[in-house]
């Protein structure tokens, strides 16, 4: 088992869940801070601060100072301006923290001070729209913040309206829209990643178990392929969640909740087409999040409903489970350090 240390965010308000953020090697994770529903975690580029969502109805984002032993010291928190923030990211300049409020469909932008603290929001941007899935798309549902490889454009992905918004981030912390991509109706786009050097981007869709392949240039996305995240004729309901791309851009990894598998796609040389080359059990139930080890040789799967974190070795792009999963309550985000 790897000795790499990880932070683990959990859903804490569910029955039987833990109390906050865990930290340690896989075989020795311990609670390091108590906070409600830290469902997504990011770390500053200099490694000094960690930021977490508080996925509760009166949403918030929190800042923590990382201690030499990996412990977390609370710095401050700010309201996220919406309900149930589920994702956040730091802009490449390190000046702003952007968060996506799932239930209310709003995006928030908070300035980051030199001491790591979060200032009052410079913008709360409420998205609009709906989709054909009456149960899940009755209104906007912001699900991710992402930046392109050059850091020139920021994208917010809206599951409720089947839309990926492209914006620039101004010096004073405002999103200015430059384009939007409409994924096919009822797809439910959730997360996206960019090819590291080809002009391509990929969007995993939660509501119809598909992966959308896009050409990408200068803030513009164009759909070129739609592929299933499941083998043909797979039975039962399935809801994809996380999406990763290897450092060389040759492989994509998507989690299937329901099938409880990880789908592995090989990308073409130009990045503009994919092929499903492997599906493997996720090592538990309901794999909400995936993360690479820092050296890229392993993949972690956070299985929310079975309280398990599984580890996989990566060889020629394919996955092999490494040992038995470890137990941790309701893991939904993994951040290696």
């Amino acid at each position: 088992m790897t000795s790499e240390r990880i932070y683990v965010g959990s859903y804490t308000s569910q029955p039987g869940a833990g109390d906050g953020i865990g930290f340690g090697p896989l075989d020795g994770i311990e609670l390091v801070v108590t906070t409600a529903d830290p469902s997504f975690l990011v770390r500053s580029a200099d490694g000094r601060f960690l930021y977490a969502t508080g996925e509760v109805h009166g949403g918030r984002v929190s800042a923590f100072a990382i201690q030499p032993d990996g412990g977390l010291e609370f710095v401050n928190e700010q309201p996220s301006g919406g309900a149930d923030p589920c994702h956040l990211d730091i802009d490449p300049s390190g000046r702003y923290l952007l968060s996506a409020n799932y239930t209310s469909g709003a995006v928030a932008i908070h300035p980051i001070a030199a001491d790591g603290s979060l200032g009052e929001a410079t913008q709360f941007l409420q998205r609009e729209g709906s989709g054909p899935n009456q149960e899940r798309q009755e209104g906007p549902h912001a699900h991710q913040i992402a930046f392109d490889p050059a850091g020139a454009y920021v994208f917010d992905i809206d599951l409720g309206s089947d839309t990926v918004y492209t914006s620039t981030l101004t010096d004073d912390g405002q999103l200015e829209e430059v384009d939007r991509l409409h994924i096919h109706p009822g797809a439910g786009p959730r997360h996206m990643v960019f090819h590291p050097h080809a002009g391509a981007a990929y969007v995993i869709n939660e509501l119809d178990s598909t992966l959308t392949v896009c050409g990408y240039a200068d803030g513009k996305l164009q759909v070129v392929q739609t592929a299933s995240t499941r083998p043909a004729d797979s039975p039962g309901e399935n809801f994809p969640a996380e999406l990763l791309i290897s450092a060389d851009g040759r492989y994509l990894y998507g989690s299937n909740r329901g099938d409880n598998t990880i789908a592995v796609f090989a990308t073409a040389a130009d990045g503009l087409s994919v092929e499903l080359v492997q599906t493997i059990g996720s090592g538990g139930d309901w794999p909400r999040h995936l993360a690479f080890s820092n050296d890229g040789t392993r993949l972690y799967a956070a299985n929310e409903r079975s309280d398990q974190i599984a580890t996989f070795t990566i060889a020629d792009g394919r996955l092999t489970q490494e040992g038995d999963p470890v137990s941790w309550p309701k893991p939904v985000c993994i951040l290696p350090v």
Side-chain angles (χ1 to χ4, degrees):
M1 182 175 291
T2 176
S3 60
E4 181 174 59
R5 298 182 300 172
I6 61 173
Y7 287 103
V8 183
S10 302
Y11 275 141
T12 62
S13 62
Q14 300 180 11
D19 298 305
I21 300 172
F23 176 73
L26 271 175
D27 58 355
I29 303 172
E30 297 181 353
L31 185 72
V32 290
V33 73
T34 298
T35 185
D37 287 344
S39 62
F40 206 84
L41 314 173
V42 295
R43 189 172 52 150
S44 61
D46 61 10
R48 296 173 57 206
F49 302 100
L50 182 144
Y51 299 92
T53 56
E55 193 173 337
V56 294
H57 184 71
R60 63 178 184 268
V61 287
S62 301
F64 300 91
I66 299 175
Q67 304 304 297
D69 63 356
L72 297 176
E73 180 179 310
F74 178 74
V75 176
N76 78 328
E77 65 181 33
Q78 291 284 353
S80 67
D84 304 306
C86 63
H87 193 272
L88 43 68
D89 204 357
I90 301 169
D91 90 280
S93 75
R95 297 173 57 198
Y96 294 102
L97 181 77
L98 290 78
S99 55
N101 291 280
Y102 175 78
T103 300
S104 57
V107 175
I109 304 175
H110 290 85
I112 301 174
D115 64 358
S117 65
L118 297 172
E120 292 186 3
T122 56
Q123 186 180 30
F124 292 127
L125 179 58
Q126 179 62 57
R127 295 303 190 189
E128 305 292 340
S130 59
N133 186 319
Q134 295 183 5
E135 181 180 352
R136 296 291 309 280
Q137 295 184 307
E138 78 295 342
H141 293 304
H143 221 307
Q144 189 201 23
I145 303 295
F147 291 86
D148 71 352
Y153 297 95
V154 57
F155 301 78
D156 59 283
I157 294 84
D158 194 284
L159 180 148
S161 64
D162 297 314
T163 305
V164 178
Y165 295 92
T166 307
S167 305
T168 55
L169 179 62
T170 65
D171 287 342
D172 60 350
Q174 303 285 313
L175 290 181
E176 294 186 351
E177 184 177 330
V178 298
D179 198 27
R180 62 179 69 177
L181 173 71
H182 295 289
I183 306 292
H184 57 274
R190 180 183 172 99
H191 281 189
M192 72 182 300
V193 295
F194 287 85
H195 197 286
H197 50 262
Y202 313 89
V203 181
I204 198 164
N205 301 308
E206 178 174 339
L207 301 184
D208 71 352
S209 297
T210 59
L211 179 77
T212 300
V213 181
C214 300
Y216 176 69
D218 301 323
K220 307 287 186 179
L221 294 162
Q222 182 176 1
V223 175
V224 295
Q225 183 192 6
T226 301
S228 176
T229 66
R230 320 167 74 189
D233 302 321
S234 296
E237 289 188 317
N238 184 64
F239 304 94
E242 187 57 278
L243 183 65
L244 302 178
I245 189 166
S246 60
D248 59 10
R250 294 177 58 200
Y251 295 95
L252 292 159
Y253 302 86
S255 66
N256 283 311
R257 298 175 300 176
D259 290 355
N260 295 330
T261 62
I262 302 169
V264 183
F265 295 88
T267 65
D270 63 1
L272 296 179
S273 64
V274 301
E275 178 186 1
L276 182 64
V277 295
Q278 183 189 21
T279 53
I280 182 173
S282 67
D285 184 10
W286 215 248
R288 180 179 172 94
H289 191 246
L290 307 174
F292 289 127
S293 62
N294 281 319
D295 63 7
T297 64
R298 292 177 172 84
L299 180 147
Y300 303 108
N303 292 284
E304 175 188 348
R305 293 184 177 176
S306 59
D307 302 334
Q308 292 173 305
I309 300 170
T311 305
F312 299 82
T313 56
I314 304 172
D316 295 326
R318 274 64 168 179
L319 301 177
T320 302
Q321 187 168 336
E322 181 182 278
D324 295 324
V326 300
S327 296
W328 186 259
K330 301 294 182 291
V332 292
C333 184
I334 296 172
L335 180 63
V337 296

PDB file of all heavy atoms in Angstrom, residues 14 38 48 52 63 69 73-74 104 124 128 137 180-181 191 193 198 200 259 262 290 294 297 302 309 313:
ATOM      1  N   GLN A  14     -24.894  13.067   6.755  1.00  0.00           N
ATOM      2  CA  GLN A  14     -25.664  11.860   6.534  1.00  0.00           C
ATOM      3  C   GLN A  14     -25.506  10.915   7.725  1.00  0.00           C
ATOM      4  O   GLN A  14     -24.470  10.912   8.392  1.00  0.00           O
ATOM      5  CB  GLN A  14     -25.194  11.160   5.252  1.00  0.00           C
ATOM      6  CG  GLN A  14     -25.356  12.025   4.011  1.00  0.00           C
ATOM      7  CD  GLN A  14     -24.877  11.315   2.763  1.00  0.00           C
ATOM      8  OE1 GLN A  14     -24.610  10.132   2.774  1.00  0.00           O
ATOM      9  NE2 GLN A  14     -24.779  12.054   1.672  1.00  0.00           N
ATOM     10  N   PRO A  38     -17.694  18.745   3.781  1.00  0.00           N
ATOM     11  CA  PRO A  38     -16.614  19.231   2.923  1.00  0.00           C
ATOM     12  C   PRO A  38     -16.502  18.347   1.674  1.00  0.00           C
ATOM     13  O   PRO A  38     -15.613  17.502   1.565  1.00  0.00           O
ATOM     14  CB  PRO A  38     -15.382  19.115   3.817  1.00  0.00           C
ATOM     15  CG  PRO A  38     -15.687  17.935   4.696  1.00  0.00           C
ATOM     16  CD  PRO A  38     -17.169  17.983   4.935  1.00  0.00           C
ATOM     17  N   ARG A  48       0.230  25.976   0.901  1.00  0.00           N
ATOM     18  CA  ARG A  48       0.056  26.531   2.255  1.00  0.00           C
ATOM     19  C   ARG A  48      -1.380  26.476   2.745  1.00  0.00           C
ATOM     20  O   ARG A  48      -1.624  26.489   3.957  1.00  0.00           O
ATOM     21  CB  ARG A  48       0.555  27.970   2.296  1.00  0.00           C
ATOM     22  CG  ARG A  48       2.044  28.142   2.027  1.00  0.00           C
ATOM     23  CD  ARG A  48       2.386  29.615   1.933  1.00  0.00           C
ATOM     24  NE  ARG A  48       2.002  30.337   3.156  1.00  0.00           N
ATOM     25  CZ  ARG A  48       1.719  31.631   3.182  1.00  0.00           C
ATOM     26  NH1 ARG A  48       1.734  32.356   2.065  1.00  0.00           N
ATOM     27  NH2 ARG A  48       1.398  32.216   4.327  1.00  0.00           N
ATOM     28  N   ALA A  52     -12.271  24.343   1.103  1.00  0.00           N
ATOM     29  CA  ALA A  52     -13.291  23.297   1.088  1.00  0.00           C
ATOM     30  C   ALA A  52     -14.670  23.905   0.895  1.00  0.00           C
ATOM     31  O   ALA A  52     -14.963  24.999   1.387  1.00  0.00           O
ATOM     32  CB  ALA A  52     -13.271  22.514   2.408  1.00  0.00           C
ATOM     33  N   ALA A  63     -11.551  28.345   4.340  1.00  0.00           N
ATOM     34  CA  ALA A  63     -10.102  28.351   4.153  1.00  0.00           C
ATOM     35  C   ALA A  63      -9.425  27.774   5.389  1.00  0.00           C
ATOM     36  O   ALA A  63      -9.815  28.078   6.522  1.00  0.00           O
ATOM     37  CB  ALA A  63      -9.605  29.769   3.910  1.00  0.00           C
ATOM     38  N   ASP A  69       2.601  19.201   9.928  1.00  0.00           N
ATOM     39  CA  ASP A  69       2.270  17.788  10.053  1.00  0.00           C
ATOM     40  C   ASP A  69       1.048  17.389   9.229  1.00  0.00           C
ATOM     41  O   ASP A  69       0.564  16.259   9.336  1.00  0.00           O
ATOM     42  CB  ASP A  69       2.032  17.425  11.523  1.00  0.00           C
ATOM     43  CG  ASP A  69       0.842  18.171  12.138  1.00  0.00           C
ATOM     44  OD1 ASP A  69       0.241  19.024  11.452  1.00  0.00           O
ATOM     45  OD2 ASP A  69       0.521  17.893  13.308  1.00  0.00           O
ATOM     46  N   GLU A  73      -5.634  24.275  10.154  1.00  0.00           N
ATOM     47  CA  GLU A  73      -6.045  25.328  11.078  1.00  0.00           C
ATOM     48  C   GLU A  73      -7.038  26.236  10.371  1.00  0.00           C
ATOM     49  O   GLU A  73      -6.734  26.797   9.312  1.00  0.00           O
ATOM     50  CB  GLU A  73      -4.832  26.135  11.542  1.00  0.00           C
ATOM     51  CG  GLU A  73      -5.176  27.255  12.509  1.00  0.00           C
ATOM     52  CD  GLU A  73      -3.949  28.014  12.949  1.00  0.00           C
ATOM     53  OE1 GLU A  73      -2.965  27.358  13.361  1.00  0.00           O
ATOM     54  OE2 GLU A  73      -3.960  29.259  12.877  1.00  0.00           O
ATOM     55  N   PHE A  74      -8.225  26.352  10.934  1.00  0.00           N
ATOM     56  CA  PHE A  74      -9.270  27.167  10.326  1.00  0.00           C
ATOM     57  C   PHE A  74      -8.820  28.614  10.203  1.00  0.00           C
ATOM     58  O   PHE A  74      -8.292  29.198  11.151  1.00  0.00           O
ATOM     59  CB  PHE A  74     -10.542  27.081  11.169  1.00  0.00           C
ATOM     60  CG  PHE A  74     -11.682  27.918  10.653  1.00  0.00           C
ATOM     61  CD1 PHE A  74     -12.399  27.531   9.527  1.00  0.00           C
ATOM     62  CD2 PHE A  74     -12.030  29.089  11.306  1.00  0.00           C
ATOM     63  CE1 PHE A  74     -13.441  28.316   9.059  1.00  0.00           C
ATOM     64  CE2 PHE A  74     -13.083  29.871  10.848  1.00  0.00           C
ATOM     65  CZ  PHE A  74     -13.795  29.484   9.709  1.00  0.00           C
ATOM     66  N   SER A 104     -28.876  25.600  -6.152  1.00  0.00           N
ATOM     67  CA  SER A 104     -29.380  26.885  -6.609  1.00  0.00           C
ATOM     68  C   SER A 104     -28.874  27.283  -7.987  1.00  0.00           C
ATOM     69  O   SER A 104     -29.395  28.219  -8.600  1.00  0.00           O
ATOM     70  CB  SER A 104     -29.018  27.981  -5.601  1.00  0.00           C
ATOM     71  OG  SER A 104     -27.623  28.028  -5.414  1.00  0.00           O
ATOM     72  N   PHE A 124     -21.705  37.002  -7.362  1.00  0.00           N
ATOM     73  CA  PHE A 124     -22.584  35.835  -7.302  1.00  0.00           C
ATOM     74  C   PHE A 124     -23.332  35.811  -8.628  1.00  0.00           C
ATOM     75  O   PHE A 124     -24.117  36.719  -8.917  1.00  0.00           O
ATOM     76  CB  PHE A 124     -23.579  35.936  -6.137  1.00  0.00           C
ATOM     77  CG  PHE A 124     -22.965  35.844  -4.770  1.00  0.00           C
ATOM     78  CD1 PHE A 124     -23.204  36.821  -3.822  1.00  0.00           C
ATOM     79  CD2 PHE A 124     -22.154  34.775  -4.432  1.00  0.00           C
ATOM     80  CE1 PHE A 124     -22.653  36.743  -2.554  1.00  0.00           C
ATOM     81  CE2 PHE A 124     -21.593  34.685  -3.168  1.00  0.00           C
ATOM     82  CZ  PHE A 124     -21.834  35.664  -2.231  1.00  0.00           C
ATOM     83  N   GLU A 128     -29.470  30.368 -15.303  1.00  0.00           N
ATOM     84  CA  GLU A 128     -30.879  30.130 -15.572  1.00  0.00           C
ATOM     85  C   GLU A 128     -31.007  28.933 -16.497  1.00  0.00           C
ATOM     86  O   GLU A 128     -30.036  28.486 -17.094  1.00  0.00           O
ATOM     87  CB  GLU A 128     -31.537  31.360 -16.217  1.00  0.00           C
ATOM     88  CG  GLU A 128     -31.384  32.648 -15.421  1.00  0.00           C
ATOM     89  CD  GLU A 128     -32.154  32.647 -14.118  1.00  0.00           C
ATOM     90  OE1 GLU A 128     -33.096  31.817 -14.002  1.00  0.00           O
ATOM     91  OE2 GLU A 128     -31.830  33.454 -13.237  1.00  0.00           O
ATOM     92  N   GLN A 137     -33.669  18.200 -13.789  1.00  0.00           N
ATOM     93  CA  GLN A 137     -33.338  19.394 -14.565  1.00  0.00           C
ATOM     94  C   GLN A 137     -34.456  20.438 -14.524  1.00  0.00           C
ATOM     95  O   GLN A 137     -34.727  21.118 -15.508  1.00  0.00           O
ATOM     96  CB  GLN A 137     -33.034  19.006 -16.016  1.00  0.00           C
ATOM     97  CG  GLN A 137     -31.799  18.131 -16.177  1.00  0.00           C
ATOM     98  CD  GLN A 137     -31.499  17.856 -17.631  1.00  0.00           C
ATOM     99  OE1 GLN A 137     -32.351  17.398 -18.385  1.00  0.00           O
ATOM    100  NE2 GLN A 137     -30.262  18.146 -18.053  1.00  0.00           N
ATOM    101  N   ARG A 180     -21.052  29.682 -25.054  1.00  0.00           N
ATOM    102  CA  ARG A 180     -21.654  28.591 -24.299  1.00  0.00           C
ATOM    103  C   ARG A 180     -21.882  27.415 -25.244  1.00  0.00           C
ATOM    104  O   ARG A 180     -22.161  27.581 -26.430  1.00  0.00           O
ATOM    105  CB  ARG A 180     -22.954  29.019 -23.626  1.00  0.00           C
ATOM    106  CG  ARG A 180     -24.064  29.464 -24.545  1.00  0.00           C
ATOM    107  CD  ARG A 180     -25.325  29.847 -23.776  1.00  0.00           C
ATOM    108  NE  ARG A 180     -25.165  31.064 -22.985  1.00  0.00           N
ATOM    109  CZ  ARG A 180     -26.156  31.627 -22.282  1.00  0.00           C
ATOM    110  NH1 ARG A 180     -27.371  31.063 -22.273  1.00  0.00           N
ATOM    111  NH2 ARG A 180     -25.958  32.730 -21.596  1.00  0.00           N
ATOM    112  N   LEU A 181     -21.730  26.222 -24.686  1.00  0.00           N
ATOM    113  CA  LEU A 181     -21.952  24.984 -25.435  1.00  0.00           C
ATOM    114  C   LEU A 181     -23.172  24.291 -24.867  1.00  0.00           C
ATOM    115  O   LEU A 181     -23.266  24.069 -23.656  1.00  0.00           O
ATOM    116  CB  LEU A 181     -20.734  24.056 -25.315  1.00  0.00           C
ATOM    117  CG  LEU A 181     -20.910  22.651 -25.921  1.00  0.00           C
ATOM    118  CD1 LEU A 181     -20.946  22.723 -27.436  1.00  0.00           C
ATOM    119  CD2 LEU A 181     -19.804  21.709 -25.446  1.00  0.00           C
ATOM    120  N   HIS A 191     -18.852  17.084 -15.125  1.00  0.00           N
ATOM    121  CA  HIS A 191     -17.455  17.509 -15.009  1.00  0.00           C
ATOM    122  C   HIS A 191     -16.790  17.476 -16.376  1.00  0.00           C
ATOM    123  O   HIS A 191     -17.201  16.711 -17.255  1.00  0.00           O
ATOM    124  CB  HIS A 191     -16.688  16.604 -14.048  1.00  0.00           C
ATOM    125  CG  HIS A 191     -16.929  16.923 -12.605  1.00  0.00           C
ATOM    126  ND1 HIS A 191     -16.197  16.357 -11.584  1.00  0.00           N
ATOM    127  CD2 HIS A 191     -17.806  17.754 -11.993  1.00  0.00           C
ATOM    128  CE1 HIS A 191     -16.622  16.824 -10.416  1.00  0.00           C
ATOM    129  NE2 HIS A 191     -17.615  17.668 -10.654  1.00  0.00           N
ATOM    130  N   VAL A 193     -12.720  17.873 -18.482  1.00  0.00           N
ATOM    131  CA  VAL A 193     -11.265  17.979 -18.446  1.00  0.00           C
ATOM    132  C   VAL A 193     -10.787  18.366 -19.836  1.00  0.00           C
ATOM    133  O   VAL A 193     -11.485  18.166 -20.833  1.00  0.00           O
ATOM    134  CB  VAL A 193     -10.575  16.660 -18.009  1.00  0.00           C
ATOM    135  CG1 VAL A 193     -10.924  16.318 -16.579  1.00  0.00           C
ATOM    136  CG2 VAL A 193     -10.929  15.517 -18.949  1.00  0.00           C
ATOM    137  N   ALA A 198      -3.406  18.733 -27.011  1.00  0.00           N
ATOM    138  CA  ALA A 198      -4.237  18.758 -28.214  1.00  0.00           C
ATOM    139  C   ALA A 198      -5.416  19.691 -27.999  1.00  0.00           C
ATOM    140  O   ALA A 198      -5.776  20.020 -26.868  1.00  0.00           O
ATOM    141  CB  ALA A 198      -4.728  17.343 -28.551  1.00  0.00           C
ATOM    142  N   ALA A 200      -8.615  19.706 -27.515  1.00  0.00           N
ATOM    143  CA  ALA A 200      -9.750  18.839 -27.206  1.00  0.00           C
ATOM    144  C   ALA A 200     -10.138  18.987 -25.744  1.00  0.00           C
ATOM    145  O   ALA A 200      -9.307  19.298 -24.884  1.00  0.00           O
ATOM    146  CB  ALA A 200      -9.421  17.380 -27.519  1.00  0.00           C
ATOM    147  N   ASP A 259     -23.390   1.251 -11.840  1.00  0.00           N
ATOM    148  CA  ASP A 259     -22.569   0.126 -12.284  1.00  0.00           C
ATOM    149  C   ASP A 259     -21.441  -0.131 -11.301  1.00  0.00           C
ATOM    150  O   ASP A 259     -20.917  -1.247 -11.214  1.00  0.00           O
ATOM    151  CB  ASP A 259     -21.959   0.419 -13.659  1.00  0.00           C
ATOM    152  CG  ASP A 259     -22.968   0.424 -14.782  1.00  0.00           C
ATOM    153  OD1 ASP A 259     -24.146   0.101 -14.533  1.00  0.00           O
ATOM    154  OD2 ASP A 259     -22.584   0.764 -15.926  1.00  0.00           O
ATOM    155  N   ILE A 262     -15.174   1.886 -13.000  1.00  0.00           N
ATOM    156  CA  ILE A 262     -14.375   2.965 -13.577  1.00  0.00           C
ATOM    157  C   ILE A 262     -14.208   2.651 -15.051  1.00  0.00           C
ATOM    158  O   ILE A 262     -13.772   1.554 -15.430  1.00  0.00           O
ATOM    159  CB  ILE A 262     -13.013   3.084 -12.893  1.00  0.00           C
ATOM    160  CG1 ILE A 262     -13.197   3.336 -11.391  1.00  0.00           C
ATOM    161  CG2 ILE A 262     -12.187   4.208 -13.524  1.00  0.00           C
ATOM    162  CD1 ILE A 262     -11.922   3.217 -10.590  1.00  0.00           C
ATOM    163  N   LEU A 290     -12.661  10.425  -8.164  1.00  0.00           N
ATOM    164  CA  LEU A 290     -11.419   9.751  -8.530  1.00  0.00           C
ATOM    165  C   LEU A 290     -10.288  10.763  -8.423  1.00  0.00           C
ATOM    166  O   LEU A 290     -10.485  11.959  -8.642  1.00  0.00           O
ATOM    167  CB  LEU A 290     -11.464   9.225  -9.963  1.00  0.00           C
ATOM    168  CG  LEU A 290     -12.626   8.327 -10.377  1.00  0.00           C
ATOM    169  CD1 LEU A 290     -12.557   8.032 -11.873  1.00  0.00           C
ATOM    170  CD2 LEU A 290     -12.615   7.029  -9.579  1.00  0.00           C
ATOM    171  N   ASN A 294       0.207  11.566  -6.828  1.00  0.00           N
ATOM    172  CA  ASN A 294       1.024  12.669  -7.340  1.00  0.00           C
ATOM    173  C   ASN A 294       1.975  12.245  -8.443  1.00  0.00           C
ATOM    174  O   ASN A 294       2.294  13.047  -9.328  1.00  0.00           O
ATOM    175  CB  ASN A 294       1.797  13.319  -6.192  1.00  0.00           C
ATOM    176  CG  ASN A 294       0.927  14.254  -5.375  1.00  0.00           C
ATOM    177  OD1 ASN A 294       0.128  15.001  -5.923  1.00  0.00           O
ATOM    178  ND2 ASN A 294       1.059  14.212  -4.060  1.00  0.00           N
ATOM    179  N   THR A 297       1.021   7.148 -10.993  1.00  0.00           N
ATOM    180  CA  THR A 297       1.084   5.696 -11.169  1.00  0.00           C
ATOM    181  C   THR A 297      -0.093   4.968 -10.533  1.00  0.00           C
ATOM    182  O   THR A 297      -0.265   3.769 -10.741  1.00  0.00           O
ATOM    183  CB  THR A 297       2.377   5.130 -10.577  1.00  0.00           C
ATOM    184  OG1 THR A 297       2.389   5.345  -9.151  1.00  0.00           O
ATOM    185  CG2 THR A 297       3.596   5.789 -11.211  1.00  0.00           C
ATOM    186  N   ALA A 302     -13.091   7.074  -4.474  1.00  0.00           N
ATOM    187  CA  ALA A 302     -13.846   7.312  -3.237  1.00  0.00           C
ATOM    188  C   ALA A 302     -15.254   6.763  -3.424  1.00  0.00           C
ATOM    189  O   ALA A 302     -16.060   7.334  -4.156  1.00  0.00           O
ATOM    190  CB  ALA A 302     -13.891   8.799  -2.932  1.00  0.00           C
ATOM    191  N   ILE A 309     -12.331   3.517   0.286  1.00  0.00           N
ATOM    192  CA  ILE A 309     -11.414   4.122  -0.676  1.00  0.00           C
ATOM    193  C   ILE A 309     -10.577   3.005  -1.277  1.00  0.00           C
ATOM    194  O   ILE A 309      -9.889   2.274  -0.553  1.00  0.00           O
ATOM    195  CB  ILE A 309     -10.503   5.162  -0.007  1.00  0.00           C
ATOM    196  CG1 ILE A 309     -11.338   6.285   0.615  1.00  0.00           C
ATOM    197  CG2 ILE A 309      -9.513   5.728  -1.016  1.00  0.00           C
ATOM    198  CD1 ILE A 309     -10.539   7.230   1.490  1.00  0.00           C
ATOM    199  N   THR A 313      -3.469   0.441  -9.476  1.00  0.00           N
ATOM    200  CA  THR A 313      -2.242   0.745 -10.200  1.00  0.00           C
ATOM    201  C   THR A 313      -2.587   0.978 -11.666  1.00  0.00           C
ATOM    202  O   THR A 313      -3.550   0.425 -12.196  1.00  0.00           O
ATOM    203  CB  THR A 313      -1.224  -0.403 -10.083  1.00  0.00           C
ATOM    204  OG1 THR A 313      -1.827  -1.623 -10.555  1.00  0.00           O
ATOM    205  CG2 THR A 313      -0.785  -0.586  -8.648  1.00  0.00           C
TER     206      THR A 313
END
